[in-house]
Amino acid sequence: GTDFFSNGIHLNVIEAAADAEQESWENIVAIDDFVRRVLMCKKLTVSALCGNAGAGGAMLALAADYVWAHGNVVLNPSYKAMDLFGSE
């Protein structure tokens, strides 16, 4: 959609998990690994945002070589407001 680019993790999966703490940690590790791969990619990478990005989604967008964002886009790189286990 146009409201959000990404928050970097699967909040619905975390909420539905039997062990939300473990699922949160696994999601955080996964987005960290993906951001690292984008940063180290030998090909040109581009992010174009028309919606907001939070937490790992903000870091993913910023990991690209070139980043374009609509003037109203808000990037919030913190997980703290999401109340995720192991995020701080």
Side-chain angles (χ1 to χ4, degrees):
T2 58
D3 291 337
F4 294 94
F5 169 74
S6 175
N7 64 24
I9 56 175
H10 299 290
L11 291 174
N12 292 335
V13 172
I14 292 168
E15 191 173 286
D19 185 348
E21 183 174 340
Q22 181 62 34
E23 188 65 37
S24 294
W25 180 248
E26 289 173 8
N27 269 260
I28 291 167
V29 169
I31 190 64
D32 287 353
D33 290 346
F34 188 50
V35 169
R36 185 177 301 108
R37 287 178 180 250
V38 171
L39 280 169
M40 298 177 75
C41 184
K42 295 188 185 314
K43 295 185 178 187
L44 180 68
T45 56
V46 176
S47 292
L49 293 84
C50 64
N52 299 336
M59 301 316 292
L60 176 61
L62 294 172
D65 297 311
Y66 292 96
V67 180
W68 283 275
H70 185 277
N72 293 330
V73 165
V74 174
L75 300 177
N76 180 6
S78 176
Y79 285 102
K80 188 170 185 168
M82 293 182 184
D83 244 0
L84 295 176
F85 301 97
S87 63
E88 297 301 324

